[in-house]
Amino acid sequence: MIENEVKKKEKKNENLLIDLCECFVFLCATNLSILLSICLPCLLKAASKKDETEEAQKEVEMALLALSNIKYYFIERELYLKEITEIIEHHQKHRNLTHLAYQSAWKFLNYQFFVDNSLEDTVANELHFVGEAARELEELTRNVDWNRKKGEEGGKETKEEFILIRWVETIAIYFLRCKLENEEFIGLLSSIVQVYRAAKDNHSVISNLCISSLRNAAERRVVRIEDLFKGGAVEAVLEEIQRQTLNEGRTNECFKFFMNVSRKLKEKNKDEREEEERKATKRKIFEKMEEEGYEDIIISFHETLKIFNRRYYYGLSLKISDYFVNV
């Protein structure tokens, strides 16, 4: 149907073509190559509309939502980068997109960043993803009814919860690939911790994703130990590992986080001032862990490390000392 519509020389139905491209992307996201050259420009054109009527906003939102479904698929920059950059920059100036539309634009771009690391300068420095993500998290966290009982609204997430989940997923993807330092990391980590604390007692999906994002951040060399500490990540994961309802998946994430914290604290800096800062941070983290009885918690899991490693395939050290912080 898409090919037939494109072949028409007269009376092309643009709205029908957009609808067909959206359906195709939602249904065939893993097999896009055959029609990508048609669907991508069609959806980007639909998403670029500046009309702010409610109907036009819904059309833009649906086009961007469809684009965000294109995952881990390498696309030549010429096919999308100029258009998606303009969409994001226009919103940053005029705030014309819905929360879902804006998040979808970022999700699409971050999936491309996942397969093309050279996009990081655009994502981080030109479009300021880290600061924008922190701002969106904070606003959405205020709008979610965290006291809503699980059985309400048919057990489904509200729209705000749905968008929040997508943001935390997108941030987790960004942390997996980022290599550039960013002075806004502390603010973003703080926002993730804020979401985690709001969600931990009644929204396991969101709180799980927050812990995974913090673990991804800890794995990146570019995210400094000072960022993790000042952003509240260390304290939040300490809270998580002490929870009585902790499951195996979250335990594994917590272990990976602390293993990377320990690794970062063992890396000495040549710069004397930075080395003094590292030692001061190390002392603070040690004291916080000691206060929370961290070593006893880690030792209690010692016998299960091999099980976690087998079940989750990789990543954990079997040396218990690799999770400790010594001063």
Side-chain angles (χ1 to χ4, degrees):
M1 291 173 71
I2 290 172
E3 289 173 336
N4 290 339
E5 195 63 34
V6 170
K7 288 176 183 176
K8 287 181 181 179
K9 294 183 179 179
E10 297 179 1
K11 296 183 180 179
K12 287 185 181 180
N13 188 332
E14 274 201 30
N15 289 332
L16 174 61
L17 183 58
I18 290 168
D19 288 344
L20 291 171
C21 287
E22 287 170 354
C23 289
F24 180 77
V25 170
F26 280 123
L27 294 170
C28 308
T30 57
N31 189 28
L32 285 170
S33 56
I34 53 174
L35 288 177
L36 187 63
S37 61
I38 297 173
C39 291
L40 193 58
C42 178
L43 293 175
L44 284 167
K45 183 180 178 181
S48 299
K49 292 179 181 177
K50 303 298 190 295
D51 187 347
E52 294 189 20
T53 63
E54 186 176 349
E55 183 179 352
Q57 276 199 324
K58 286 182 179 178
E59 291 174 2
V60 169
E61 183 179 83
M62 185 58 72
L64 286 168
L65 191 60
L67 285 167
S68 73
N69 209 47
I70 302 174
K71 304 176 181 178
Y72 312 121
Y73 189 91
F74 181 80
I75 305 170
E76 294 293 338
R77 286 186 181 194
E78 292 75 16
L79 293 176
Y80 70 89
L81 188 57
K82 181 176 180 290
E83 291 82 358
I84 199 68
T85 297
E86 287 178 353
I87 289 167
I88 291 172
E89 287 179 334
H90 187 78
H91 175 76
Q92 289 173 345
K93 289 180 181 178
H94 303 285
R95 298 296 167 191
N96 62 304
L97 299 175
T98 64
H99 282 291
L100 179 57
Y102 188 49
Q103 194 286 323
S104 296
W106 272 118
K107 191 167 188 178
F108 168 75
L109 185 54
N110 269 276
Y111 274 130
Q112 304 320 307
F113 170 45
F114 190 85
V115 294
D116 182 2
N117 254 22
S118 62
L119 283 172
E120 185 166 15
D121 188 55
T122 299
V123 172
N125 294 333
E126 293 180 28
L127 299 176
H128 309 289
F129 171 76
V130 174
E132 288 292 296
R135 186 187 58 77
E136 288 288 310
L137 284 187
E138 289 168 9
E139 187 169 342
L140 287 163
T141 302
R142 289 194 297 269
N143 293 337
V144 169
D145 179 9
W146 296 108
N147 295 318
R148 181 173 68 91
K149 294 179 181 178
K150 289 183 179 180
E152 292 177 4
E153 298 191 26
K156 296 180 180 178
E157 289 102 1
T158 63
K159 189 170 185 178
E160 290 79 13
E161 290 170 344
F162 174 70
I163 302 168
L164 196 54
I165 288 170
R166 287 168 61 88
W167 264 115
V168 182
E169 287 174 339
T170 304
I171 292 165
I173 291 168
Y174 178 80
F175 276 134
L176 276 176
R177 306 295 285 180
C178 69
K179 292 182 180 178
L180 295 178
E181 289 187 10
N182 196 307
E183 61 184 15
E184 294 183 291
F185 277 149
I186 294 173
L188 179 56
L189 292 166
S190 178
S191 297
I192 296 170
V193 169
Q194 182 183 358
V195 175
Y196 162 74
R197 287 188 172 137
K200 67 179 182 179
D201 291 327
N202 55 8
H203 206 303
S204 60
V205 172
I206 293 177
S207 56
N208 275 343
L209 287 169
C210 288
I211 295 298
S212 294
S213 287
L214 295 177
R215 186 263 296 170
N216 285 355
E219 287 184 353
R220 305 312 299 169
R221 182 174 293 276
V222 73
V223 181
R224 303 178 309 154
I225 190 66
E226 292 86 350
D227 298 338
L228 293 169
F229 188 67
K230 292 178 181 177
V234 173
E235 192 169 345
V237 183
L238 272 173
E239 291 174 18
E240 177 64 18
I241 204 168
Q242 295 179 80
R243 285 167 61 81
Q244 292 182 349
T245 55
L246 194 65
N247 61 36
E248 286 186 358
R250 285 216 218 180
T251 304
N252 183 62
E253 297 286 76
C254 291
F255 270 111
K256 285 182 179 176
F257 177 88
F258 286 118
M259 185 178 69
N260 282 288
V261 165
S262 177
R263 175 181 57 80
K264 285 176 183 285
L265 288 171
K266 290 172 184 174
E267 295 173 350
K268 294 183 179 181
N269 294 308
K270 293 180 180 179
D271 183 277
E272 289 185 11
R273 183 177 176 181
E274 289 184 359
E275 178 61 12
E276 285 302 311
E277 288 181 1
R278 184 190 71 87
K279 287 180 178 179
T281 302
K282 188 175 184 179
R283 166 62 67 179
K284 289 176 183 176
I285 292 176
F286 173 81
E287 289 174 352
K288 184 64 184 174
M289 288 178 164
E290 192 174 43
E291 178 186 328
E292 300 294 337
Y294 169 78
E295 289 197 9
D296 289 340
I297 295 168
I298 295 298
I299 290 169
S300 73
F301 282 106
H302 188 201
E303 296 302 319
T304 59
L305 284 176
K306 289 181 182 178
I307 296 171
F308 290 145
N309 241 2
R310 285 198 301 269
R311 190 158 294 173
Y312 297 96
Y313 302 111
Y314 70 95
L316 287 177
S317 169
L318 298 182
K319 293 181 180 178
I320 200 73
S321 60
D322 286 345
Y323 304 93
F324 293 157
V325 175
N326 300 310
V327 294

